[in-house]
Amino acid sequence: MGKKRAHPQNEASGNAFPLGLHDADIIRRLARIEAMLAVLIGQDAPAIDPVPLIADLTDSDWFTAGELWQSVDALRKAAEAIGEPVPDVVQAFSDLGLSSVKSLGKWLSARPAEIIERTERTRAGILWRIA
């Protein structure tokens, strides 16, 4: 058998394999992971501080990570549906690499109590409030 050649569409980029259907999703996920790692190791501060935006969104009341995630996701979907830019809180979550309720909960738990208060665990999850 002869030597395998790279797929023609990938020769210029140096990729030795054909691009699959899910590459765009993988690239987006990788970008989020890289953004989150950059923030965690202190290379980049988020362009938009999400704390005051979360306070506005929740009216500084108690919330669970799931409730907050649903609210932000609804804002994102609404903006996409009408072709408007996403609200700042959606962009802030994206900049932080927050991609799920779990990642949001971890981000919330890493904030000092002077910034974000934490209280009891309910059936819906831990209750949070912007201090």
Side-chain angles (χ1 to χ4, degrees), residues 74-117:
L75 290 171
R76 180 189 57 78
K77 288 177 180 176
E80 289 175 355
I82 60 175
E84 294 288 328
V86 294
D88 286 344
V89 68
V90 175
Q91 186 60 51
F93 276 34
S94 178
D95 291 349
L96 289 168
L98 302 177
S99 59
S100 66
V101 174
K102 185 175 181 177
S103 64
L104 175 58
K106 286 182 178 185
W107 182 84
L108 290 167
S109 67
R111 307 285 70 83
E114 300 81 40
I115 296 173
I116 299 179
E117 297 178 75

Side-chain angles (χ1 to χ4, degrees), residues 13 15 54 72 98 109 125:
S13 67
N15 292 334
I54 294 170
V72 171
L98 302 177
S109 67

Side-chain angles (χ1 to χ4, degrees), residues 5-115:
R5 281 182 50 102
H7 196 277
Q9 75 184 35
N10 297 320
E11 283 182 358
S13 67
N15 292 334
F17 54 90
L19 297 176
L21 296 174
H22 303 288
D23 289 332
D25 184 47
I26 291 168
I27 290 168
R28 279 192 304 276
R29 286 181 181 190
L30 180 59
R32 274 188 259 144
I33 290 168
E34 288 173 341
M36 185 170 53
L37 287 173
V39 169
L40 289 173
I41 62 174
Q43 287 183 348
D44 292 328
I48 304 169
D49 182 9
V51 174
L53 302 172
I54 294 170
D56 288 344
L57 189 61
T58 62
D59 292 327
S60 296
D61 201 3
W62 294 100
F63 61 89
T64 65
E67 291 168 339
L68 179 58
W69 183 261
Q70 288 176 346
S71 296
V72 171
D73 193 47
L75 290 171
R76 180 189 57 78
K77 288 177 180 176
E80 289 175 355
I82 60 175
E84 294 288 328
V86 294
D88 286 344
V89 68
V90 175
Q91 186 60 51
F93 276 34
S94 178
D95 291 349
L96 289 168
L98 302 177
S99 59
S100 66
V101 174
K102 185 175 181 177
S103 64
L104 175 58
K106 286 182 178 185
W107 182 84
L108 290 167
S109 67
R111 307 285 70 83
E114 300 81 40
I115 296 173

